[in-house]
Amino acid sequence: MPTDLLSMNDLTDGDVRDLLDAAALYKRRAVSGAPLGGKSVVLLFEKPSLRTKVSFDIAVAELGGHPIYLGRDEVGLDKREPVEDVAQILSRWAGAIVARVFAHRSLVRLASAATVPVINALSDLEHPCQALADVLTIRERFGKLDDVSVAYVGDANNCALSLALACAATGANFRIASPSGYGFSAEAIGAISSRFQHRRDAIADHGQDPAAAVRGADVVYTDVWTSMGQEEEAQLRRADFQDFQVNEALLAKAKPTAILMHPMPAHYGEEVPAGMLAQHQSAAIDQAENRLHAQKAVLRLLVAGE
Ligand code: CP
């Protein structure tokens, strides 16, 4: 059983399958009980959030726990006090720490010093809770994950890495197209290749050709060109990504039954045109809803050990 969830690679393929099944039961309201049994869960966020913050808060409360939100100015990781001190103190009071950080290294340090589970609520490296909600959404839409082809267009960022690893864990195929200089790091490619080691033909890097990546895909996935913390690069990125917008013309190259996915928030007019996430192929709102159900399953597994 995993002790922390910092990366999709903290979960076995079996863990992911079990979490998706549990999340589906939570969504159908087919599970009751209060597995957190009054435990407090600290939501320690260095960056703003709508979906992750609210869905974790509700998930903890509905599982019989007590959420405590701490924003950036309240704790000051490594500014007001070291990460390790924060981890040890919170571990004496709370049953888990859900943390959104700028640097993944902060999460690793939190998990090393904490004696309670640490859950990644987004770092610069990964967004595993988003990826679990994503594959849950894909499974709902297609009734399966095996051989579903997921095409990611855009920045090979934290969401892209967690999504690729989630596809590997669940039998889905993964393709990507990114502008030059915005592809996966060598370390990320190593992690993805190793998780796809028995299905090498299920991954494809289409370089700088979004049309090739999307052609015949079941899922077209994109994310913002400029993530939180990269605002100074926004103008440069708008120029570098201008041929990577997921618009009606690009989506039309996918299967007619394809769905459009985006973790949100969107920068309308950049990676998608205004209105694109409201059109009939978009699954973005379902993805957001599924954050709640997937995170309930994660909390039950890591905090309650069920
Ligand atoms: N997708 C996502 O993590 O959204 P928030 O930044 O609003 O939490």
Side-chain angles (χ1 to χ4, degrees):
M1 182 179 301
T3 50
D4 300 297
L5 177 54
L6 306 191
S7 160
M8 280 305 298
N9 271 344
D10 289 329
L11 302 172
T12 65
D13 296 0
D15 290 334
V16 176
R17 201 167 40 245
D18 292 347
L19 286 170
L20 296 183
D21 289 345
L25 291 177
Y26 275 119
K27 186 165 186 174
R28 293 209 307 270
R29 300 195 178 276
V31 206
S32 55
L36 296 189
K39 285 182 182 169
S40 294
V41 174
V42 171
L43 312 180
L44 179 61
F45 278 44
E46 285 193 298
K47 294 178 172 188
S49 170
L50 170 69
R51 280 144 290 271
T52 311
K53 174 184 171 184
V54 176
S55 58
F56 262 114
D57 191 309
I58 294 170
V60 171
E62 290 188 357
L63 293 179
H66 174 56
I68 301 170
Y69 177 77
L70 296 172
R72 184 178 184 182
D73 295 337
E74 288 161 290
V75 178
L77 285 178
D78 279 339
K79 294 188 178 69
R80 188 162 179 267
E81 56 188 317
V83 167
E84 287 76 10
D85 289 3
V86 173
Q88 290 183 74
I89 302 291
L90 291 180
S91 296
R92 295 291 178 100
W93 298 324
I97 303 168
V98 174
R100 169 168 285 203
V101 296
F102 283 97
H104 191 78
R105 176 80 193 133
S106 301
L107 271 183
V108 174
R109 289 171 56 204
L110 262 177
S112 298
T115 55
V116 296
V118 173
I119 297 169
N120 182 354
L122 181 144
S123 72
D124 58 345
L125 186 66
E126 278 210 49
H127 200 358
C129 294
Q130 178 68 55
L132 287 169
D134 294 341
V135 286
L136 178 63
T137 307
I138 296 169
R139 194 177 76 164
E140 284 174 353
R141 291 295 182 113
F142 295 97
K144 62 170 191 166
L145 283 155
D146 272 337
D147 288 331
V148 173
S149 51
V150 178
Y152 184 96
V153 175
D155 192 17
N157 60 13
N158 45 8
C159 286
L161 175 55
S162 292
L163 179 67
L165 296 172
C167 287
T170 56
N173 302 338
F174 184 82
R175 324 158 178 180
I176 187 166
S178 307
S180 178
Y182 297 96
F184 283 124
S185 67
E187 192 182 351
I189 291 169
I192 295 166
S193 303
S194 132
R195 192 101 195 214
F196 271 102
Q197 63 180 323
H198 301 300
R199 294 194 303 124
R200 298 273 176 179
D201 56 351
I203 42 174
D205 185 343
H206 288 277
Q208 287 111 59
D209 191 347
V214 162
R215 196 164 296 123
D218 295 301
V219 176
V220 178
Y221 196 118
T222 192
D223 193 6
V224 293
W225 295 342
T226 303
S227 295
M228 285 180 281
Q230 298 172 331
E231 287 77 9
E232 286 180 5
E233 300 172 23
Q235 194 175 346
L236 171 69
R237 283 171 171 265
R238 272 194 288 274
D240 290 344
F241 282 84
Q242 62 179 336
D243 297 329
F244 286 76
Q245 186 183 69
V246 176
N247 48 33
E248 294 287 358
L250 187 65
L251 188 58
K253 297 183 191 306
K255 285 185 184 160
T257 51
I259 60 169
L260 168 64
M261 298 183 74
H262 191 306
M264 302 181 87
H267 294 170
Y268 293 109
E270 295 192 5
E271 77 278 2
V272 283
M276 196 68 188
L277 297 185
Q279 61 97 289
H280 72 283
Q281 284 170 279
S282 170
I285 304 301
D286 285 354
Q287 280 175 267
E289 179 191 335
N290 284 341
R291 298 292 306 275
L292 172 67
H293 312 302
Q295 287 157 198
K296 280 185 177 173
V298 167
L299 288 164
R300 192 176 72 168
L301 178 67
L302 268 77
V303 186
E306 292 176 17

